[in-house]
Amino acid sequence: MFNLSHPKLVTLAETEGYTDVADFLEDYALDSIVPAICMAPDCDHTADLEPDQRAGFCEACGRASMKSGLVIAGMI
């Protein structure tokens, strides 16, 4: 089951200019680089990373807490 309502996923989609999370996921579903967001509660830094990224380095807060939007949604 996909999770389209996760707050970090909604924030990521909005940051990328989407009002609908499903449109965001549809546009990036097959790309080799996708938007990712820091999962730390106090950081919303975004970057383009691999679609299966689950613990990427956040340049803003220094933690290994970046997740791709596809992982957050449960697509990967």
Side-chain angles (χ1 to χ4, degrees), residues 47 50 59 61 67:
E50 300 83 6
E59 293 179 1
C61 71
K67 269 191 187 178

Side-chain angles (χ1 to χ4, degrees), residues 1-61:
M1 200 92 223
F2 298 128
N3 180 4
L4 304 184
S5 61
H6 190 288
K8 288 285 188 168
L9 182 58
V10 172
T11 299
L12 180 59
E14 289 173 351
T15 300
E16 293 295 317
Y18 292 85
T19 56
D20 185 359
V21 171
D23 290 338
F24 166 79
L25 295 172
E26 183 178 326
D27 284 351
Y28 288 103
L30 301 175
D31 285 358
S32 59
I33 299 294
V34 301
I37 191 167
C38 181
M39 298 302 287
D42 58 340
C43 184
D44 285 333
H45 178 71
T46 63
D48 292 334
L49 299 173
E50 300 83 6
D52 62 346
Q53 186 60 254
R54 288 172 168 77
F57 179 75
C58 178
E59 293 179 1
C61 71

